[in-house]
Amino acid sequence: MKTLVSSPAREVVIADGQPTVLIGERLNPAGKKSLIEALKKQDAEFIRQEARAQVAAGADILDINVGVFGLDEAALLPEIVKIVTATTDVPLCLDSHNAAALEAALKICPGHPLVNSVTGEEGSLSRVLPLVKEHDCPVVALVQDGNGLPGSAAQRVAVAAKIIERAEKAGIPREKIIVDPLAGAVGADPGAVQVALETIRRLKTDFGVNITLGASNVSFGMPERGLINSVFISMAIAAGATCLIVDVARVRQTILAADLLLGYDKHARRFISDFRKRTLPGTLPKQPDH
Amino acid sequence: MKTLVSSPAREVVIADGQPTVLIGERLNPAGKKSLIEALKKQDAEFIRQEARAQVAAGADILDINVGVFGLDEAALLPEIVKIVTATTDVPLCLDSHNAAALEAALKICPGHPLVNSVTGEEGSLSRVLPLVKEHDCPVVALVQDGNGLPGSAAQRVAVAAKIIERAEKAGIPREKIIVDPLAGAVGADPGAVQVALETIRRLKTDFGVNITLGASNVSFGMPERGLINSVFISMAIAAGATCLIVDVARVRQTILAADLLLGYDKHARRFISDFRKRTLPGTLPKQPDH
C-alpha cells in the first residue's frame, strides 16, 4: 500500500519494499528544554536551524509539535509551520492532539501534510477525520481509545480496525492511514516492544496499511539510549514499519543498514552513497580480518 | 523448547524467552589468516588466548573449527578441543562437515557439546545422527541438502522437517535440534536476509525448535560490517533466533539490548550490569536532552 505525503515541491512515498521514510522528531518539545524556551520566546532562528539540520541529516518529513503547557497550540502551530515551510521544502507532519490546532495549521500548510494524529476516541474521530478528508491528507492513527492504550496486540489491532472503518465511511481510503502501534518504554513495561512488534505484524497481515512508530520512547529511563533505539528500529523495520519518527542524525545509518538487509535499497546504492559521503574518496577500509 | 549444551562444569540453556546464547566464532579459520597460521604451526598459546578472550567477552559456548586446506581435520580437531577444554570450562560447539573429525572430537570432549552440523544430505544424516545419538548431544541442522541451499523459506523449512523427522526416528528428540536457516551475504543476494527471517518465523511456528545463525556472513563484501551485523542480529533475535554464532566482543552489547527490548532480561539486570562494568561506579550519564 502506498501513502503519499507532499509539499508543493516534494512528494514522499511511504510503501512496503521501499526505503524507510524518516520523519524528523526534533521539533517536538517533549523533554527538550531548549526547544520549549524557543517556542515560548518565538525564537524563529532556533526553529529554522533545527529544521535545516534535520533535512541536512536526511529527514524526508519534519514533525512539528508545539505542545507546551501554557502556550496556545491553535495560535502557535500555524506560526511554526509558516517558519518551517519558509525554511525548507520537505513535507510536514502536523503533530497535535488538539483538533483546533490541526485545523488552523492545515489552513495555511501547503501540499498534503501528514496529520498526526487521530485516535479511536469518538471526540477525535469526529473532529479530525473531517479535516483529513477536507484537506485530502494522510493521517496517523494511534491505537488508543477512551480507555487508554490497550495491553494486547489483538486489542490494538481492534482499535486500528475501528479507525480504518470510520475513515473509510468518511471517504478516506485505507492507503491514507498510517497506523502507530505505540511502543512504550521497556523500562516501565518489559512487554512493551513484543506487543508493538506483534501489533505491526498483525496490522500488515490483516490490513496491509503503512506503519509508523516513534522510536525514541522505548529506551526512556535506561542508559545507552542510542544503542537501544537502534536495536529497536532494526526490529521494527523487519516487522513491517515503513516510516519512523526519529532523531535522524543519530539513527540514519542504522536505518540505511536495515533497508539494505531487507532488500529495500537496490544495488545498495543509498548505503554505499551515505558511506562514501562520510569517508574520504579512495579510502575504503580493508575488510577486517574476522 | 529447551536445548542443553554442557561441559562438566557448566550447563547452557537455549530456550525461547531466555537471554540469547552467544557462541564465540573466533576459533574458526574462515577468513582469519592469523588463526590459519596458528593451526598450521599448532600454536597452542594462540588458541588459548582466543579462547580466554572470548570467554572474558561473554561467550557462553565456543565454536571450534579447524577446516584449513591441507590439514587433517580428524587428527587436528580433537587436539584443539583438548587445548581449549584445558583452558576454559565453557561448553564447546564442534564445528565440522567431516563426520570422522566429529567422531574423533566427540570421543575426547567431555560433557555434551553442540555438534555443528548435520545437513539434509543422506551422507550427513547417516553418519552424523548416530554420533549425536551415541554421545547424547544437541546438533545444529543446516537447511541444505544434496541440491545446495534452497532459495525459498518453504524449501528450507522442508529440509529442516526432513532432518527433524530422521533425527526423531534415530531416537534424537526435537529439543536436541537447533536449526540454522543459513543467512547468506546480502551483497550477493539482496533477498538473503528476508528468506532467512521468514525461515526462522516458520520454523518457530511449525516446529518450535531453537534457532541459531552465523551472524557475520550477511555483511560480506560491504563496508561497515559491524553496523550491518548488529542490525541483522537485532532482526534475527526478534524473529526468534535463540543462539547466535558471533564475534562476542563486537556484538554483545547489541544482543543485550535486543534481549532487554524483548523482555528476555528480567529487571534489565544483565543490560545494567554490563553497562556498569563498562563505566565507572557513580558516573551514570544524564539522560540526553532529546
Side-chain angles (χ1 to χ4, degrees), chain B residues 101-117:
Chain B
L102 290 174
E103 185 170 11
L106 281 165
K107 268 190 192 139
I108 57 89
C109 187
H112 302 277
L114 179 57
V115 173
N116 184 11
S117 55

Side-chain angles (χ1 to χ4, degrees), chain B residues 185-207:
Chain B
V186 79
D189 171 11
V193 168
Q194 288 277 16
V195 170
L197 295 176
E198 179 64 19
T199 304
I200 295 175
R201 291 189 201 106
R202 290 190 186 205
L203 286 167
K204 298 305 286 189
T205 307
D206 294 359
F207 301 101

Side-chain angles (χ1 to χ4, degrees), chain B residues 36-51:
Chain B
I36 293 171
E37 286 311 304
L39 289 171
K40 284 184 176 168
K41 289 185 208 156
Q42 302 229 23
D43 177 353
E45 190 47 32
F46 185 96
I47 307 294
R48 283 192 281 265
Q49 279 177 14
E50 279 287 12

Side-chain angles (χ1 to χ4, degrees), chain A residues 63-65 73 77 93-103 106 114-121 123-129 131-132 138-144 163 177-180 182 212 245:
Chain A
D63 188 85
I64 314 288
N65 182 310
E73 270 195 77
L77 189 60
C93 172
L94 307 174
D95 185 355
S96 176
H97 296 302
N98 179 327
L102 290 174
E103 185 171 11
L106 281 165
L114 179 56
V115 174
N116 183 9
S117 55
V118 67
T119 72
E121 289 165 279
S124 175
L125 291 164
S126 63
R127 293 215 57 192
V128 176
L129 291 181
L131 293 171
V132 167
V139 62
V140 173
L142 301 188
V143 294
Q144 64 188 24
I163 300 173
I177 299 166
I178 302 177
V179 180
D180 183 338
L182 291 169
T212 190
I245 305 177

Side-chain angles (χ1 to χ4, degrees), chain A residues 25-26 30-34 186 190-194 197 201 216 218-225 227-232 234-235 237-239 247 250 253-255 257-264 267-268 271-272 274-275 278 284-285 287-290, chain B residues 25-26 30-34 186 190-194 197 201 216 218-225 227-232 234-235 237-239 247 250 253-255 257-264 267-268 271-272 274-275 278 284-285 287-290:
Chain A
E25 72 173 15
R26 294 195 55 85
K32 291 191 204 73
K33 283 180 196 166
S34 49
V186 80
V193 168
Q194 288 277 16
L197 295 176
R201 291 188 201 107
S216 305
V218 290
S219 60
F220 186 76
M222 298 297 296
E224 310 235 52
R225 295 189 62 176
L227 169 67
I228 296 173
N229 292 347
S230 290
V231 170
F232 175 63
S234 307
M235 293 174 173
I237 295 175
D247 192 337
R250 291 190 194 194
Q253 288 176 51
T254 295
I255 293 173
D259 287 346
L260 169 74
L261 284 167
L262 296 170
Y264 303 161
H267 307 298
F271 187 83
I272 299 286
D274 174 79
F275 174 74
R278 286 182 291 102
L284 264 171
Q287 294 286 329
D289 175 35
H290 76 147
Chain B
E25 71 173 15
R26 294 193 57 85
K32 290 192 206 72
K33 283 179 197 166
S34 48
V186 79
V193 168
Q194 288 277 16
L197 295 176
R201 291 189 201 106
S216 304
V218 291
S219 61
F220 187 77
M222 298 297 297
E224 312 235 50
R225 294 189 65 177
L227 169 67
I228 296 173
N229 292 347
S230 290
V231 170
F232 174 63
S234 307
M235 294 176 172
I237 296 174
D247 192 335
R250 291 189 194 195
Q253 287 175 53
T254 294
I255 292 173
D259 287 345
L260 170 74
L261 285 167
L262 296 170
Y264 304 160
H267 309 296
F271 188 82
I272 299 286
D274 174 78
F275 174 74
R278 285 183 294 101
L284 262 169
Q287 292 286 327
D289 175 35
H290 76 150

